[in-house]
């Protein structure tokens, strides 16, 4: 992508409304634009990051055996009357009437709708286990939307829903998602700690929130420091191995971890003081096992191996992609801007032409840009006619992990500089060596 042809509306001033660093940087870097309170447009730079976050989520959901579909944002109130949540959900739910005066709603979550999909087609235990997910917009009329897309009213959610014959199967399904979540957040450069959680309007008795530690987080959390060093399930994780997954779950729940709603102060204080971690955190995922709460109310049954009808056991599993983007920024930035982990970077590298219009600089940059593009690297080429200082500031702000800087003096000697955005280290290489460095992935 050439910057001269991209749409990157960078802000020079610090936006007044932004209280936390991720919100400030997302606005300054032209990633999002607020349209009304808690409702955002994802501008092209932001959209690129969001797509990468979603791709990681998808890969790990698919690996764990979940299957993607897409349900609508608008739902009929009838479904929610069946489960009894239409009245219970309260003012957070946006209620709408269509032209025939039929009550509709903008889905805050999809337990009812997926249960309806399930009951329409699945009749036998032979079709279980089943886990269906989608990545779709939700709307919750939050009292206090804030911090940009961290807590918005319209937001993206990956929500998965599992169906099993009995509790045992459902616990296996829960542990599948538990392990998949640990892998998902790690791939984004984050360490998420699962904490016993309150189930709120979703219901059920088994639930974990996945929390990223961050000073600006909205939750107060308490946990054992051992969580910072636990191993993440590897690529060789067998998601069909119920005992193996239980081992992962047991390990990751073997130490104290709770948010303030579930906090047990005496249990926490029993941990030696040097091993306690009392911090703030961001909830990036939340998983629930709620048994037959929806299947019972909505008649989702299958024929079991005994020939009898069984009400299915369900769980639901949420991740907030539009919250993860600011969470990643909270964890990875400096005073000059964002520092993207490579896996979610909008561009893996930026080529900075310090003197656009200079024939030698232009030629060197074109060569590098073409070589990297052809190697399948997401590269941004700053070919704009601007001062070098402004270009450096933009590159640091938008946070591509690697900068390739070409100036007239270096290019005359056949050389460019490579700067590591995270460490700030610079190295001078020949143009060829620079291309090799990036295309070989080192
Ligand atoms: N149906 C269940 C799981 S599929 C559910 O709705 N769970 S939830 O309420 O915990 O939401 C799941 C995830 O969505 C949260 O962990 C969070 O990452 C994200 N999320 C929830 N509310 C917001 C919000 N207002 N803004 C941004 N992300 C949100």
């Amino acid at each position: 992508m050439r910057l001269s042809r991209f749409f990157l509306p960078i802000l020079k001033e610090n936006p007044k409304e932004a209280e936390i660093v991720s919100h400030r940087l997302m606005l300054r870097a032209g990633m999002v634009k607020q349209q009304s309170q808690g409702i955002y447009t994802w501008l092209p730079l932001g959209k690129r990051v969001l797509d990468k976050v979603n791709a990681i989520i998808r890969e790990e959901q698919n690996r764990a055996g979940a299957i993607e579909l897409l349900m609508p944002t608008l739902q009929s109130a009838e479904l929610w009357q069946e489960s009894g949540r239409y009245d219970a959900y309260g003012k957070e739910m946006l209620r709408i009437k269509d032209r025939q005066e039929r009550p509709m709603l903008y889905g805050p979550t999809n337990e009812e709708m997926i249960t309806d999909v399930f009951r329409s087609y699945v009749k036998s235990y032979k079709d279980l286990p089943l886990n269906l997910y989608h990545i779709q917009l939700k709307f919750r009329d939050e009292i206090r939307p804030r911090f940009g897309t961290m807590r918005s009213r319209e937001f993206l959610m990956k929500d998965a829903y599992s169906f099993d014959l009995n509790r045992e199967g459902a616990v296996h399904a829960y542990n599948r998602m538990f392990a998949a979540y640990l892998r998902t957040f790690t791939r984004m450069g984050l360490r998420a700690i699962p904490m016993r959680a309150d189930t709120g309007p979703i219901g059920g008795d088994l639930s974990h929130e996945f929390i990223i530690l961050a000073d600006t987080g909205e939750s107060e959390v308490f946990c054992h420091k051992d969580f910072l060093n636990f191993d993440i399930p590897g690529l060789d994780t067998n998601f069909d191995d119920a005992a193996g997954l239980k081992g992962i779950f047991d390990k990751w729940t073997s130490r104290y971890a709770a948010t303030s709603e579930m906090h047990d102060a005496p249990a926490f204080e029993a941990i030696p003081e040097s091993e306690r971690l009392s911090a703030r955190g961001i909830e990036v995922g939340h998983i629930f096992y709620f048994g037959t709460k929806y299947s019972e109310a909505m008649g989702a049954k299958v024929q079991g191996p005994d020939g009898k009808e069984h009400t299915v056991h369900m769980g639901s599993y949420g991740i907030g992609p539009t919250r993860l983007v600011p969470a990643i920024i909270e964890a990875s930035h400096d005073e000059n801007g964002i520092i993207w982990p490579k896996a979610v970077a909008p561009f893996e590298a930026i080529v900075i032409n310090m003197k656009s219009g200079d024939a030698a600089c232009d030629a060197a940059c074109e060569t590098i840009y073409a070589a990297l593009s052809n190697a399948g690297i997401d590269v941004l080429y700053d070919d704009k006619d601007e001062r070098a200082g402004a270009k450096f500031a933009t590159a640091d702000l938008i946070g591509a992990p690697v900068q390739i800087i070409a100036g007239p003096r270096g290019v005359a000697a056949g050389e460019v500089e490579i700067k590591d955005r995270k460490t700030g280290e610079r190295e001078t290489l020949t143009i060829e060596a620079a291309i090799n460095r990036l295309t070989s992935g080192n």
Side-chain angles (χ1 to χ4, degrees), residues 109 111 140 142 150 152 155 159 283-284 286 288 317-318 320:
T109 176
E111 280 80 6
R140 292 182 185 172
E142 302 264 355
M150 189 80 89
S152 49
F155 58 95
D159 37 329
E283 179 209 314
V284 288
H286 197 164
F288 304 80
Y317 315 91

Side-chain angles (χ1 to χ4, degrees), residues 10 19 23 40 42 56 79 86 95 103 154 204 212 216 223 289 338 344-345 356 375 388 429:
I10 278 179
E19 293 171 65
H23 188 194
Y40 288 84
W42 283 76
I56 293 175
L79 280 177
Y86 189 62
R95 296 154 206 260
E154 190 187 53
I212 304 295
T216 46
C223 69
Y289 163 67
I338 304 167
V344 296
S356 295
L429 294 174

Side-chain angles (χ1 to χ4, degrees), residues 65-296:
I67 307 166
E68 188 170 8
L69 46 53
L70 183 61
M71 291 179 270
T73 53
L74 292 180
Q75 308 188 20
S76 149
E78 273 171 37
L79 280 177
W80 288 66
Q81 282 153 352
E82 274 192 65
S83 73
R85 276 207 295 184
Y86 189 62
D87 296 323
Y89 216 95
K91 288 203 163 190
E92 274 207 0
M93 187 150 79
L94 181 64
R95 296 154 206 260
I96 312 159
K97 283 209 172 118
D98 70 8
R99 68 200 295 165
Q100 276 108 23
E101 293 288 305
R102 273 193 295 253
M104 311 280 293
L105 57 97
Y106 193 131
T109 176
N110 283 59
E111 280 80 6
E112 284 78 358
M113 188 172 276
I114 199 77
T115 306
D116 179 58
V117 171
F118 180 89
R119 72 179 172 187
S120 303
Y121 303 108
V122 183
K123 306 290 176 202
S124 162
Y125 76 96
K126 290 180 188 158
D127 297 324
L128 303 181
L130 185 64
N131 184 327
L132 298 170
Y133 77 97
H134 69 165
I135 301 179
Q136 175 61 294
L137 290 167
K138 305 286 182 288
F139 191 91
R140 292 182 185 172
D141 205 350
E142 302 264 355
I143 306 178
R144 259 213 323 156
R146 57 182 189 153
F147 302 158
T149 66
M150 189 80 89
R151 174 170 299 282
S152 49
R153 295 198 298 165
E154 190 187 53
F155 58 95
L156 207 54
M157 195 196 289
K158 182 288 298 180
D159 37 329
Y161 302 88
S162 67
F163 300 88
D164 287 272
L165 187 60
N166 50 34
R167 182 179 169 104
E168 192 192 344
V171 167
H172 181 184
Y174 189 90
N175 293 344
R176 274 195 173 103
M177 287 292 117
F178 191 95
Y181 276 34
L182 293 173
R183 286 187 49 76
T184 303
F185 301 127
T186 300
R187 285 186 58 188
M188 299 172 190
L190 299 170
R191 175 152 289 246
I193 302 173
M195 305 201 180
R196 275 306 287 259
D198 195 16
T199 57
I202 309 292
D205 61 2
L206 172 61
S207 173
H208 286 88
E209 285 179 7
F210 286 74
I211 305 270
I212 304 295
L213 301 180
D215 294 340
T216 46
E218 290 188 287
S219 318
E220 208 185 343
V221 301
F222 306 88
C223 69
H224 198 292
K225 280 192 179 157
D226 281 357
F227 279 106
L228 302 178
N229 301 311
F230 279 171
D231 288 340
I232 302 297
L235 261 180
D236 56 351
T237 305
N238 178 357
F239 287 90
D240 292 329
D241 174 10
L245 291 180
K246 182 170 183 304
I248 294 169
F249 176 84
D250 287 346
K251 171 83 183 170
W252 278 86
T253 52
S254 63
R255 297 283 189 280
Y256 186 87
T259 59
S260 54
E261 299 103 63
M262 302 293 275
H263 187 46
D264 174 355
F268 183 61
E269 278 148 26
I271 303 171
E273 200 168 351
S274 61
E275 292 163 32
R276 285 183 219 156
L277 198 60
S278 155
R280 301 200 70 81
I282 302 168
E283 179 209 314
V284 288
H286 197 164
I287 61 177
F288 304 80
Y289 163 67
F290 43 72
T292 57
K293 177 173 169 178
Y294 301 92
S295 47
E296 182 73 56

Side-chain angles (χ1 to χ4, degrees), residues 4-78:
S4 61
R5 302 206 193 134
F6 193 52
F7 183 66
L8 185 69
I10 278 179
L11 302 183
K12 295 252 154 40
E13 306 291 318
N14 264 332
K16 282 190 290 298
E17 71 268 33
E19 293 171 65
I20 61 172
V21 68
S22 57
H23 188 194
R24 192 160 64 237
L25 290 173
M26 285 175 79
L27 292 172
R28 286 211 37 223
M31 291 178 64
V32 292
K33 177 190 185 312
Q34 183 173 329
Q35 299 297 158
S36 45
Q37 198 194 28
I39 299 181
Y40 288 84
T41 289
W42 283 76
L43 299 166
L45 191 77
K47 176 69 164 53
R48 281 178 161 258
V49 180
L50 193 56
D51 284 348
K52 294 207 173 172
V53 163
N54 285 337
I56 293 175
I57 293 172
R58 263 194 192 100
E59 270 182 41
E60 296 301 331
Q61 289 292 293
N62 297 348
R63 194 193 305 285
I67 307 166
E68 188 170 8
L69 46 53
L70 183 61
M71 291 179 270
T73 53
L74 292 180
Q75 308 188 20
S76 149
E78 273 171 37

